[in-house]
């Protein structure tokens, strides 16, 4: 079975940066487009970013305004989320997920597109 483990969360001051990592095991990492989602306290789970199997194509939530970058290293079975200029509204539990879809259209923002999820890592941004 596919398992995903996130790491890199923590407490960061507003304006700072943080890099999240997610490692997949149980299957070939390169089989999956990989996504990041987040869930703020009392809110639903929102799309953050997705990257294609080969890392050539990525997509981001419009609200991020270029502050985040998704990347992957297939040799290490790891997807990353580089978060810059962090704001208090970025505070959330961040989840990585692997997509069941065979083909990636360049936009994959629904959580229904993802079959496996990590346990989440907490990111807290102080004012």
């Amino acid at each position: 079975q596919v398992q995903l483990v996130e790491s890199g969360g923590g407490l960061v001051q507003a304006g700072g940066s943080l890099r999240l990592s997610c490692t997949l095991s149980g299957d070939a990492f390169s089989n999956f487009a990989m996504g990041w989602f987040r869930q703020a306290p009392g809110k639903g789970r929102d799309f953050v970013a997705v990257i294609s199997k080969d890392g050539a194509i990525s997509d981001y939530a419009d609200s991020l305004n270029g502050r985040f970058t998704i990347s992957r290293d297939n040799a290490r079975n790891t997807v990353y989320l580089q978060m810059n200029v962090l704001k208090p509204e970025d505070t959330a539990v961040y989840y990585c997920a692997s997509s069941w879809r065979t083909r990636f259209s360049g936009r994959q923002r629904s959580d229904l597109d993802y079959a496996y999820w990590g346990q989440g890592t907490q990111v807290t941004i102080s004012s």
Side-chain angles (χ1 to χ4, degrees):
Q1 62 180 13
V2 172
Q3 293 183 319
L4 300 169
V5 179
E6 303 97 334
S7 63
L11 177 63
V12 180
Q13 196 171 63
S17 298
L18 201 62
R19 191 189 196 196
L20 305 183
S21 299
C22 172
T23 299
L24 180 149
S25 63
D27 208 340
F29 182 69
S30 60
N31 286 350
F32 308 100
M34 297 294 299
W36 284 98
F37 289 74
R38 65 186 182 184
Q39 186 168 21
K43 304 295 184 180
R45 186 165 57 197
D46 295 328
F47 170 78
V48 175
V50 62
I51 189 166
S52 62
K53 297 174 182 179
D54 61 0
I57 304 171
S58 59
D59 181 49
Y60 300 90
D62 294 339
S63 62
L64 297 177
N65 295 321
R67 296 183 297 115
F68 291 9
T69 302
I70 188 171
S71 62
R72 66 190 295 161
D73 184 345
N74 285 359
R76 300 180 66 86
N77 295 348
T78 300
V79 61
Y80 305 94
L81 185 68
Q82 178 67 48
M83 305 185 293
N84 299 320
V85 198
L86 285 162
K87 304 176 180 180
E89 58 257 42
D90 295 320
T91 295
V93 177
Y94 283 71
Y95 300 90
C96 68
S98 61
S99 178
W100 58 266
R101 291 191 175 275
T102 302
R103 303 185 187 278
F104 179 59
S105 67
R107 176 170 291 186
Q108 195 166 289
R109 298 183 173 185
S110 171
D111 59 5
L112 298 177
D113 293 323
Y114 301 87
Y116 299 101
W117 297 81
Q119 82 288 350
T121 185
Q122 177 69 50
V123 172
T124 302
I125 312 303
S126 62
S127 300

